[in-house]
Amino acid sequence: MTDDSALRREMVDVCRRMNSSGINQGNAGNLSVRSSDGFLITPSSLPYETMTPEDIVEMGFDGTYVGRRPSSEWRFHRDILRERQEIEVVLHCHSLYATTLACHHKTIPSFHYMTGVAGGTTIRCAGYATFGTQALSDNALVALKDRLACLLGQHGQISLGKTMEAALWLANEVETLSRMYVQALSLGEPPVLSDEEMARVIEQMRKMSYGQAPDPEGTNDLARPRDAAV
Ligand code: 13P
């Protein structure tokens, strides 16, 4: 059996940082990470302050589990990890501004270039469905098509990553963008960047390994480490 203790410890740490960074609170939120033969997921309704690595639940893609009762949202974690082979981590939280927009079923448009960190010109809002249901998972997968994040109608947000660090970073970015958008809306609907400009932004992010678009071959052609060979 593979030793997953390091992954479990990191999950506890990331969950606590979800709360301390202000993007989650109370019993909300959940986190999953792909493992050798399925995925690890946070247990349901256990406050992160008291959660230990041993409380993390091991699940298979067939829905069977070992340990405590898994997060009520195991279906969307399972379905995302099954459908999106490039993704290793699924993070869900009820951050305030993202949820504020989700309560109005608003999609985040390209009002700010950073919308591109989720991989496209918008961050969509998934249609509402009861928490813990297959319908919610189905809606989330549609909203996440070609994206690394989405809002969940009258619920919260989901951010994806290749690493826990990247998923946590993205969830904070989605929350910051949501806050900016809510504030921008107070002056009226803001103008948006064109699809052509957003394509340039996304390419620039890729080239510069900006945020969650790491490309080991990518370089910023104006900057290089001082001791690099010329
Ligand atoms: P769990 O504690 O079951 O993971 O539920 C929290 C939540 O955010 C439901 O959407």
Side-chain angles (χ1 to χ4, degrees), residues 21-47:
S21 66
I23 60 167
N24 197 63
Q25 58 83 44
N27 279 359
N30 27 71
L31 176 72
S32 67
V33 182
R34 193 185 294 282
S35 63
S36 50
D37 42 10
F39 57 100
L40 297 173
I41 187 164
T42 46
S44 187
S45 307
L46 191 68

mmCIF file of all heavy atoms in Angstrom, residues 21-47:
data_model
loop_
_atom_site.group_PDB
_atom_site.id
_atom_site.type_symbol
_atom_site.label_atom_id
_atom_site.label_comp_id
_atom_site.label_asym_id
_atom_site.label_seq_id
_atom_site.Cartn_x
_atom_site.Cartn_y
_atom_site.Cartn_z
ATOM 1 N N SER A 21 -7.060 32.191 5.672
ATOM 2 C CA SER A 21 -6.976 33.229 4.636
ATOM 3 C C SER A 21 -8.321 33.928 4.453
ATOM 4 O O SER A 21 -8.429 34.874 3.673
ATOM 5 C CB SER A 21 -6.513 32.627 3.305
ATOM 6 O OG SER A 21 -7.502 31.742 2.812
ATOM 7 N N GLY A 22 -9.344 33.429 5.128
ATOM 8 C CA GLY A 22 -10.650 34.112 5.095
ATOM 9 C C GLY A 22 -11.563 33.641 3.973
ATOM 10 O O GLY A 22 -12.644 34.194 3.788
ATOM 11 N N ILE A 23 -11.174 32.602 3.200
ATOM 12 C CA ILE A 23 -12.057 32.177 2.099
ATOM 13 C C ILE A 23 -13.024 31.071 2.525
ATOM 14 O O ILE A 23 -13.797 30.583 1.703
ATOM 15 C CB ILE A 23 -11.273 31.734 0.834
ATOM 16 C CG1 ILE A 23 -10.337 30.555 1.129
ATOM 17 C CG2 ILE A 23 -10.513 32.906 0.224
ATOM 18 C CD1 ILE A 23 -9.797 29.882 -0.125
ATOM 19 N N ASN A 24 -12.967 30.675 3.783
ATOM 20 C CA ASN A 24 -13.879 29.618 4.225
ATOM 21 C C ASN A 24 -14.112 29.737 5.726
ATOM 22 O O ASN A 24 -13.306 30.337 6.430
ATOM 23 C CB ASN A 24 -13.293 28.243 3.897
ATOM 24 C CG ASN A 24 -14.332 27.147 3.951
ATOM 25 O OD1 ASN A 24 -15.285 27.161 3.178
ATOM 26 N ND2 ASN A 24 -14.178 26.225 4.863
ATOM 27 N N GLN A 25 -15.181 29.186 6.193
ATOM 28 C CA GLN A 25 -15.441 29.241 7.635
ATOM 29 C C GLN A 25 -16.404 28.132 8.057
ATOM 30 O O GLN A 25 -17.053 27.520 7.205
ATOM 31 C CB GLN A 25 -15.979 30.616 8.041
ATOM 32 C CG GLN A 25 -17.258 31.068 7.357
ATOM 33 C CD GLN A 25 -18.512 30.522 8.011
ATOM 34 O OE1 GLN A 25 -18.623 30.526 9.240
ATOM 35 N NE2 GLN A 25 -19.446 30.027 7.220
ATOM 36 N N GLY A 26 -16.441 27.896 9.365
ATOM 37 C CA GLY A 26 -17.384 26.915 9.932
ATOM 38 C C GLY A 26 -17.188 25.538 9.334
ATOM 39 O O GLY A 26 -16.071 25.078 9.152
ATOM 40 N N ASN A 27 -18.306 24.882 9.026
ATOM 41 C CA ASN A 27 -18.234 23.529 8.463
ATOM 42 C C ASN A 27 -18.245 23.509 6.946
ATOM 43 O O ASN A 27 -18.348 22.452 6.333
ATOM 44 C CB ASN A 27 -19.417 22.694 8.964
ATOM 45 C CG ASN A 27 -19.158 22.153 10.352
ATOM 46 O OD1 ASN A 27 -18.090 22.388 10.923
ATOM 47 N ND2 ASN A 27 -20.122 21.463 10.905
ATOM 48 N N ALA A 28 -18.150 24.688 6.337
ATOM 49 C CA ALA A 28 -18.179 24.740 4.870
ATOM 50 C C ALA A 28 -16.842 24.287 4.305
ATOM 51 O O ALA A 28 -15.840 24.241 5.015
ATOM 52 C CB ALA A 28 -18.483 26.157 4.407
ATOM 53 N N GLY A 29 -16.846 23.954 3.025
ATOM 54 C CA GLY A 29 -15.614 23.664 2.306
ATOM 55 C C GLY A 29 -15.231 22.197 2.323
ATOM 56 O O GLY A 29 -15.630 21.442 3.217
ATOM 57 N N ASN A 30 -14.496 21.802 1.306
ATOM 58 C CA ASN A 30 -13.941 20.454 1.234
ATOM 59 C C ASN A 30 -12.804 20.436 0.217
ATOM 60 O O ASN A 30 -12.685 21.342 -0.606
ATOM 61 C CB ASN A 30 -15.006 19.381 0.903
ATOM 62 C CG ASN A 30 -16.167 19.939 0.108
ATOM 63 O OD1 ASN A 30 -15.997 20.269 -1.062
ATOM 64 N ND2 ASN A 30 -17.320 20.084 0.744
ATOM 65 N N LEU A 31 -11.973 19.401 0.319
ATOM 66 C CA LEU A 31 -10.756 19.318 -0.486
ATOM 67 C C LEU A 31 -10.514 17.859 -0.853
ATOM 68 O O LEU A 31 -10.698 16.972 -0.016
ATOM 69 C CB LEU A 31 -9.575 19.833 0.355
ATOM 70 C CG LEU A 31 -8.173 19.745 -0.247
ATOM 71 C CD1 LEU A 31 -7.997 20.767 -1.373
ATOM 72 C CD2 LEU A 31 -7.104 20.007 0.839
ATOM 73 N N SER A 32 -10.102 17.637 -2.105
ATOM 74 C CA SER A 32 -9.722 16.277 -2.489
ATOM 75 C C SER A 32 -8.446 16.307 -3.315
ATOM 76 O O SER A 32 -8.133 17.311 -3.957
ATOM 77 C CB SER A 32 -10.833 15.589 -3.291
ATOM 78 O OG SER A 32 -10.989 16.217 -4.545
ATOM 79 N N VAL A 33 -7.724 15.199 -3.270
ATOM 80 C CA VAL A 33 -6.450 15.060 -3.981
ATOM 81 C C VAL A 33 -6.407 13.659 -4.595
ATOM 82 O O VAL A 33 -6.720 12.672 -3.913
ATOM 83 C CB VAL A 33 -5.255 15.203 -2.995
ATOM 84 C CG1 VAL A 33 -3.937 15.098 -3.730
ATOM 85 C CG2 VAL A 33 -5.337 16.495 -2.234
ATOM 86 N N ARG A 34 -6.007 13.597 -5.857
ATOM 87 C CA ARG A 34 -5.881 12.290 -6.516
ATOM 88 C C ARG A 34 -4.831 11.449 -5.789
ATOM 89 O O ARG A 34 -3.787 11.970 -5.381
ATOM 90 C CB ARG A 34 -5.467 12.522 -7.976
ATOM 91 C CG ARG A 34 -5.584 11.321 -8.865
ATOM 92 C CD ARG A 34 -5.032 11.612 -10.253
ATOM 93 N NE ARG A 34 -5.799 12.605 -10.988
ATOM 94 C CZ ARG A 34 -6.960 12.371 -11.608
ATOM 95 N NH1 ARG A 34 -7.490 11.170 -11.540
ATOM 96 N NH2 ARG A 34 -7.582 13.333 -12.272
ATOM 97 N N SER A 35 -5.109 10.165 -5.612
ATOM 98 C CA SER A 35 -4.126 9.274 -4.976
ATOM 99 C C SER A 35 -3.834 8.126 -5.937
ATOM 100 O O SER A 35 -4.357 8.103 -7.053
ATOM 101 C CB SER A 35 -4.673 8.752 -3.639
ATOM 102 O OG SER A 35 -5.832 7.985 -3.882
ATOM 103 N N SER A 36 -3.048 7.150 -5.497
ATOM 104 C CA SER A 36 -2.609 6.100 -6.424
ATOM 105 C C SER A 36 -3.787 5.301 -7.001
ATOM 106 O O SER A 36 -3.785 4.943 -8.165
ATOM 107 C CB SER A 36 -1.613 5.187 -5.736
ATOM 108 O OG SER A 36 -2.146 4.769 -4.504
ATOM 109 N N ASP A 37 -4.810 5.019 -6.170
ATOM 110 C CA ASP A 37 -5.907 4.214 -6.714
ATOM 111 C C ASP A 37 -7.284 4.834 -6.461
ATOM 112 O O ASP A 37 -8.262 4.136 -6.266
ATOM 113 C CB ASP A 37 -5.843 2.785 -6.157
ATOM 114 C CG ASP A 37 -5.508 2.785 -4.672
ATOM 115 O OD1 ASP A 37 -5.523 3.879 -4.076
ATOM 116 O OD2 ASP A 37 -5.236 1.701 -4.124
ATOM 117 N N GLY A 38 -7.341 6.139 -6.430
ATOM 118 C CA GLY A 38 -8.609 6.828 -6.211
ATOM 119 C C GLY A 38 -8.323 8.251 -5.808
ATOM 120 O O GLY A 38 -7.557 8.949 -6.480
ATOM 121 N N PHE A 39 -8.903 8.672 -4.690
ATOM 122 C CA PHE A 39 -8.606 10.015 -4.201
ATOM 123 C C PHE A 39 -8.789 10.084 -2.695
ATOM 124 O O PHE A 39 -9.481 9.253 -2.093
ATOM 125 C CB PHE A 39 -9.460 11.065 -4.931
ATOM 126 C CG PHE A 39 -10.960 10.849 -4.841
ATOM 127 C CD1 PHE A 39 -11.740 11.563 -3.936
ATOM 128 C CD2 PHE A 39 -11.594 9.936 -5.672
ATOM 129 C CE1 PHE A 39 -13.105 11.370 -3.857
ATOM 130 C CE2 PHE A 39 -12.978 9.734 -5.599
ATOM 131 C CZ PHE A 39 -13.727 10.461 -4.698
ATOM 132 N N LEU A 40 -8.128 11.084 -2.102
ATOM 133 C CA LEU A 40 -8.290 11.365 -0.672
ATOM 134 C C LEU A 40 -9.216 12.570 -0.574
ATOM 135 O O LEU A 40 -9.110 13.503 -1.375
ATOM 136 C CB LEU A 40 -6.941 11.692 -0.041
ATOM 137 C CG LEU A 40 -5.896 10.578 -0.055
ATOM 138 C CD1 LEU A 40 -4.550 11.106 0.462
ATOM 139 C CD2 LEU A 40 -6.362 9.398 0.792
ATOM 140 N N ILE A 41 -10.107 12.561 0.409
ATOM 141 C CA ILE A 41 -11.077 13.657 0.526
ATOM 142 C C ILE A 41 -11.329 13.967 2.009
ATOM 143 O O ILE A 41 -11.225 13.068 2.868
ATOM 144 C CB ILE A 41 -12.394 13.289 -0.216
ATOM 145 C CG1 ILE A 41 -13.352 14.478 -0.266
ATOM 146 C CG2 ILE A 41 -13.063 12.052 0.372
ATOM 147 C CD1 ILE A 41 -14.473 14.345 -1.294
ATOM 148 N N THR A 42 -11.652 15.220 2.286
ATOM 149 C CA THR A 42 -11.929 15.608 3.669
ATOM 150 C C THR A 42 -13.237 14.953 4.141
ATOM 151 O O THR A 42 -14.142 14.728 3.337
ATOM 152 C CB THR A 42 -12.045 17.142 3.789
ATOM 153 O OG1 THR A 42 -12.877 17.623 2.718
ATOM 154 C CG2 THR A 42 -10.692 17.812 3.701
ATOM 155 N N PRO A 43 -13.321 14.657 5.441
ATOM 156 C CA PRO A 43 -14.555 14.063 5.967
ATOM 157 C C PRO A 43 -15.663 15.110 6.047
ATOM 158 O O PRO A 43 -15.385 16.305 6.001
ATOM 159 C CB PRO A 43 -14.147 13.590 7.366
ATOM 160 C CG PRO A 43 -13.015 14.475 7.751
ATOM 161 C CD PRO A 43 -12.303 14.838 6.478
ATOM 162 N N SER A 44 -16.906 14.663 6.169
ATOM 163 C CA SER A 44 -18.034 15.595 6.232
ATOM 164 C C SER A 44 -18.152 16.214 7.624
ATOM 165 O O SER A 44 -17.983 15.516 8.637
ATOM 166 C CB SER A 44 -19.329 14.844 5.893
ATOM 167 O OG SER A 44 -20.386 15.754 5.785
ATOM 168 N N SER A 45 -18.425 17.502 7.646
ATOM 169 C CA SER A 45 -18.812 18.211 8.867
ATOM 170 C C SER A 45 -17.818 18.123 10.012
ATOM 171 O O SER A 45 -18.223 18.066 11.173
ATOM 172 C CB SER A 45 -20.176 17.705 9.376
ATOM 173 O OG SER A 45 -21.119 17.779 8.349
ATOM 174 N N LEU A 46 -16.551 18.077 9.692
ATOM 175 C CA LEU A 46 -15.546 18.067 10.763
ATOM 176 C C LEU A 46 -14.772 19.380 10.695
ATOM 177 O O LEU A 46 -14.157 19.668 9.677
ATOM 178 C CB LEU A 46 -14.599 16.872 10.581
ATOM 179 C CG LEU A 46 -13.681 16.589 11.768
ATOM 180 C CD1 LEU A 46 -14.488 16.094 12.971
ATOM 181 C CD2 LEU A 46 -12.638 15.527 11.388
ATOM 182 N N PRO A 47 -14.816 20.194 11.767
ATOM 183 C CA PRO A 47 -14.104 21.482 11.716
ATOM 184 C C PRO A 47 -12.616 21.275 11.455
ATOM 185 O O PRO A 47 -11.991 20.379 12.032
ATOM 186 C CB PRO A 47 -14.342 22.076 13.115
ATOM 187 C CG PRO A 47 -15.481 21.316 13.688
ATOM 188 C CD PRO A 47 -15.474 19.958 13.042
#
